[in-house]
Amino acid sequence: MRRQTVLVLYLANSALDSPVVGWSRYDGTGGTRHMAGDDDEPPYRTGLDALKDGWRLFQASQLLPHQRGAEFDVSYLKYEFWFEQLSEVEA
C-alpha cells in the first residue's frame, strides 16, 4: 500500500532557491507524528534542496500582488510550497 508524506515549506520569496522561513510536516504513513515547534532547524535550507532530495513539488502559492497599504502585513506567510513523497507501507 502507498501512503503520502507531505512537507509544506514557506520560503522568503517566490523563488524555489530562497531560504525556508517556516515549515510543516504530515506523515500519512503513521511512522512519525510532527508538531509545530518540534524542530529548531528547517528540514531543508531551500525548496530546491527538497527537490534535490527527491520530494515532488505539487503546489505553489499564486503570486498575487499585495493590496495597497498591505505591503508590510505579516499576518501570513505568502510563499507556500507543498511537496510529497510516496512510501510503501504494510497493510
Side-chain angles (χ1 to χ4, degrees):
M1 219 185 251
R2 291 183 125 187
R3 294 285 188 252
Q4 182 183 42
T5 301
V6 175
L7 173 65
V8 184
L9 297 180
Y10 301 90
L11 305 183
N13 61 53
S14 63
L16 271 174
D17 60 353
S18 65
V20 173
V21 297
W23 62 94
S24 299
R25 288 188 267 188
Y26 304 96
D27 188 354
T29 68
T32 58
R33 186 176 180 132
H34 298 283
M35 297 184 67
D38 62 356
D39 292 321
D40 290 332
E41 296 293 323
Y44 295 97
R45 194 176 60 79
T46 68
L48 186 58
D49 290 339
L51 285 177
K52 290 177 180 177
D53 198 29
W55 288 87
R56 298 177 353 163
L57 177 63
F58 70 92
Q59 181 176 325
S61 297
Q62 285 184 297
L63 295 179
L64 300 173
H66 289 285
Q67 294 178 357
R68 188 172 305 241
E71 296 89 350
F72 302 105
D73 185 3
V74 293
S75 64
Y76 67 99
L77 298 172
K78 184 174 181 178
Y79 306 108
E80 180 180 76
F81 295 82
W82 289 69
F83 298 84
E84 74 168 352
Q85 282 185 338
L86 297 176
S87 302
E88 293 292 333
V89 297
E90 304 243 351

